[in-house]
Amino acid sequence: MMPSMGSTSGLTSGWRLHAVSAESERVFPLKEPHAVTIGRDPDRDISLPQAKVSRLHAEVRWAAAAGGEPGHWRLRDCGSTWGTLLNGVRLAAQQEVRLAHGDVIEIKPWVLTVAAPHMSQHSDVGQTLMAGDDRDDFVPLGEVQHPSALAQSMLVRLLAASEAMAVAVDEQATARAAVEALASATGYSNVALLKAGADPSEVEVLAQAGAISGSDGAVQVSRSLLRRARQGIHVHRSGGAAASMAASIESLSIQDAICVPVEAGPVFFGWIYLDHRRGARRTKPAPEAEVAGFAAAIARLAGLSLSNIARARMQQRFDLEQQQMFGGTMRALISAIDAKDPYTRGHSDRVSAFGVLLAQAMKLDAGTIEQVRLCGLVHDIGKIGIPEEILRKPSKLDDNEFARIQRHPQIGASILQDIPQMRDLMCGVVEHHERWDGRGYPNKLAGEGISKLGRILCIADCFDAMTSARFYRPAREVGQVLAEIERCLGTHFDPTFGRAFLSIPPGELTPLISTAPPPPS
């Protein structure tokens, strides 16, 4: 039974899924902002009526642009029984992740490749993918030589390729190692590691030797050979093309070819492709079975390498998703503070920025600078627990009210304590109101007993407070504030850190200073 929607005719300008199974190929358009459901039930947007497909297996939904992030499609596993794989990595139930052009979604027995808008099909030789065979053969695994039976020269090249692939950080490095080994060991004039494109008939050359690409960049290989080799090692022998393949084989003058799938477990990455064409110079070829065995061994190594690279990239994507979620959570908390005290809106962002300038002036390492940035953003998070009437009071606070305000560093610590990314920042949140002379709060710490984050943010916080308008006073001039910081070195502020702040050119401070008018009294 075929999927319920999609068309393979023409080109699609929007996002789309190209689905391939052993029996069929289909194209499914993705139309924002509609979610697309995938499952076994016939009423799903993409119905895949196979036993291992859950009734509601997965969903692809459009996430609109927000917070500076562009709109994008996201994949979610809907608690499927047999799982949803993205680039070879199984998603947890209900887990979702951003999709990108070229991503491979596996919902067995289907493989769905993500194609971005305006990514069109190639129209080079051999585009049609057809079935049928006569004297062209699949090579039974029993006829493929085990690596241990290969010639010594091939074993040496196999070892070199293995070492290169083990340290490869991208697909091209893996492909180059594979092609170099194959070209030097087999005698075939044209060698390539090919990757399946987002469109079923697209092919990308990761690395090549010989005449794989034409002068116009078109990939000149027989797509029919590639189609057959998805199912196993395939050999084309001189004079033995199937009728369905004869046109493309003849037009490319292919005499002999070997095509090997590159896989790792259930994940298909592409092909090892070797051929010889009429008129090309050719060294004495190795026996066909030996070449097939060597190519199969290289393909296994390449599959493992590409699988490791894909997993690493997926982990980076998952990590980025976590960072963005964390950043969004922090931004929501900061917005909550601004909502309680709108007349100090932007204070956390400015303290963060001033803190970073100070950390840079002190030539601190990048990791510490990032800690300063984050801690500056959340240093006042505890004000969420302070009543608005105290935060917005236009006159001087009484002793009881000031005691309530003094609790906000510890309230902030209690809010953040269960967030792993915040544990190293807690000292700055708690201590940004401590003073060098021990007269600060909440713990009366002094000198270097105050954390580095606390001492940095104390200066940044005070600078922003003095250069911002308040209910009870206008903003002070930058020169006056810098003079006040200098006067308080060794009492309120760490002398070393304070001098570093004073060394920052005023031209770097001024653009960050609040320009908001005084709040109404």
Side-chain angles (χ1 to χ4, degrees):
M1 184 173 179
M2 301 293 289
S4 64
M5 63 172 281
S7 170
T8 56
S9 61
L11 298 179
T12 307
S13 60
W15 285 87
R16 56 201 187 276
L17 296 177
H18 291 268
V20 178
S21 72
E23 297 82 21
S24 179
E25 293 179 2
R26 301 297 298 274
V27 178
F28 301 99
L30 300 176
K31 296 182 179 179
E32 57 191 70
H34 304 292
V36 176
T37 57
I38 306 172
R40 188 173 74 243
D41 282 352
D43 59 348
R44 300 299 170 206
D45 298 310
I46 299 178
S47 179
L48 308 176
Q50 279 81 14
K52 289 189 175 182
V53 179
S54 297
R55 294 184 181 279
L56 175 57
H57 196 106
E59 178 184 73
V60 177
R61 70 172 183 86
W62 177 253
E69 283 290 309
H72 59 278
W73 288 97
R74 300 180 66 81
L75 171 69
R76 179 172 67 92
D77 178 88
C78 297
S80 63
T81 302
W82 293 93
T84 304
L85 279 71
L86 180 62
N87 298 331
V89 177
R90 179 167 177 159
L91 302 184
Q94 306 305 327
Q95 181 181 10
E96 68 172 53
V97 66
R98 176 195 299 255
L99 290 174
H101 174 72
D103 280 347
V104 177
I105 304 168
E106 292 179 80
I107 299 176
K108 293 299 181 182
W110 287 87
V111 175
L112 301 96
T113 308
V114 181
H118 314 304
M119 297 292 183
S120 63
Q121 303 179 120
H122 294 297
S123 58
D124 46 300
V125 178
Q127 178 176 315
T128 305
L129 304 180
M130 303 180 70
D133 201 5
D134 50 18
R135 286 173 289 174
D136 282 27
D137 297 322
F138 287 105
V139 179
L141 291 178
E143 295 181 13
V144 176
Q145 288 193 337
H146 190 274
S148 63
L150 295 175
Q152 183 176 355
S153 61
M154 285 187 171
L155 288 175
V156 170
R157 291 185 175 95
L158 186 65
L159 177 60
S162 175
E163 291 173 345
M165 292 182 197
V167 296
V169 296
D170 57 36
E171 295 173 330
Q172 287 72 25
T174 294
R176 284 194 300 270
V179 168
E180 287 170 6
L182 290 158
S184 61
T186 65
Y188 278 74
S189 54
N190 302 309
V191 179
L193 198 156
L194 306 173
K195 178 183 178 182
D199 187 287
S201 61
E202 285 182 344
V203 176
E204 177 183 350
V205 179
L206 295 179
Q208 63 178 311
I212 295 296
S213 296
S215 59
D216 61 353
V219 183
Q220 295 182 328
V221 299
S222 169
R223 300 303 203 278
S224 300
L225 285 174
L226 300 187
R227 174 61 182 269
R228 285 165 169 76
R230 277 183 176 269
Q231 309 303 317
I233 300 173
H234 198 80
V235 172
H236 163 67
R237 299 181 176 90
S238 299
S244 61
M245 296 169 61
S248 62
I249 295 291
E250 182 61 28
S251 65
L252 294 171
S253 301
I254 294 174
Q255 291 184 302
D256 306 293
I258 295 177
C259 201
V260 182
V262 178
E263 301 170 310
V267 184
F268 176 82
F269 290 103
W271 305 266
I272 296 288
Y273 180 91
L274 309 94
D275 77 23
H276 180 71
R277 306 181 190 190
R278 286 190 296 274
R281 295 182 62 183
R282 184 179 192 182
T283 58
K284 183 179 179 180
E288 182 183 272
E290 190 172 78
V291 172
F294 182 60
I298 291 289
R300 283 195 290 272
L301 292 175
L304 291 172
S305 177
L306 294 173
S307 178
N308 290 335
I309 291 168
R311 280 197 295 271
R313 287 179 176 172
M314 285 304 301
Q315 187 58 54
Q316 290 173 351
R317 195 180 301 185
F318 291 144
D319 291 345
L320 179 60
E321 292 266 319
Q322 289 295 320
Q323 291 171 10
Q324 291 175 337
M325 183 172 68
F326 171 70
T329 301
M330 291 301 100
R331 181 55 54 190
L333 290 172
I334 294 164
S335 297
I337 300 172
D338 287 344
K340 288 179 69 73
D341 189 3
Y343 303 116
T344 60
R345 181 172 289 116
H347 171 68
S348 297
D349 290 304
R350 294 191 298 273
V351 169
S352 175
F354 293 135
V356 166
L357 286 178
L358 174 52
Q360 291 171 338
M362 295 170 61
K363 295 181 169 51
L364 300 181
D365 61 271
T368 302
I369 292 173
E370 177 63 10
Q371 286 185 333
V372 170
R373 185 188 72 82
L374 285 175
C375 195
L377 290 174
V378 300
H379 76 286
D380 268 349
I381 203 74
K383 286 185 177 178
I384 291 176
I386 305 300
E388 286 90 338
E389 59 267 23
I390 294 178
L391 294 175
R392 301 183 186 186
K393 186 175 180 181
S395 58
K396 183 178 179 180
L397 300 178
D398 62 32
D399 290 345
N400 181 60
E401 291 167 335
F402 187 62
R404 295 284 296 276
I405 281 284
Q406 287 181 314
R407 293 175 53 195
H408 81 267
Q410 292 166 315
I411 295 172
S414 67
I415 291 172
L416 301 174
Q417 65 183 354
D418 293 327
I419 302 176
Q421 296 94 326
M422 291 283 101
R423 286 171 187 160
D424 292 338
L425 312 183
M426 300 289 282
C427 56
V429 173
V430 175
E431 299 170 12
H432 69 277
H433 282 293
E434 300 288 0
R435 291 172 45 125
W436 184 257
D437 60 10
R439 297 172 58 193
Y441 66 87
N443 297 315
K444 305 295 183 184
L445 301 178
E448 293 188 356
I450 306 169
S451 68
K452 186 179 295 185
L453 283 176
R455 285 176 275 159
I456 289 173
L457 292 180
C458 175
I459 296 172
D461 184 62
C462 289
F463 180 80
D464 183 68
M466 288 188 282
T467 55
S468 300
R470 292 291 186 264
F471 284 109
Y472 45 87
R473 60 152 176 83
R476 299 173 67 176
E477 296 292 334
V478 173
Q480 294 177 328
V481 175
L482 294 176
E484 180 68 11
I485 290 175
E486 185 173 19
R487 186 183 71 82
C488 295
L489 296 180
T491 54
H492 199 133
F493 307 117
D494 179 323
T496 302
F497 290 10
R499 292 190 189 96
F501 190 82
L502 295 172
S503 74
I504 299 172
E508 294 184 24
L509 296 170
T510 302
L512 303 174
I513 292 172
S514 173
T515 57
S521 58

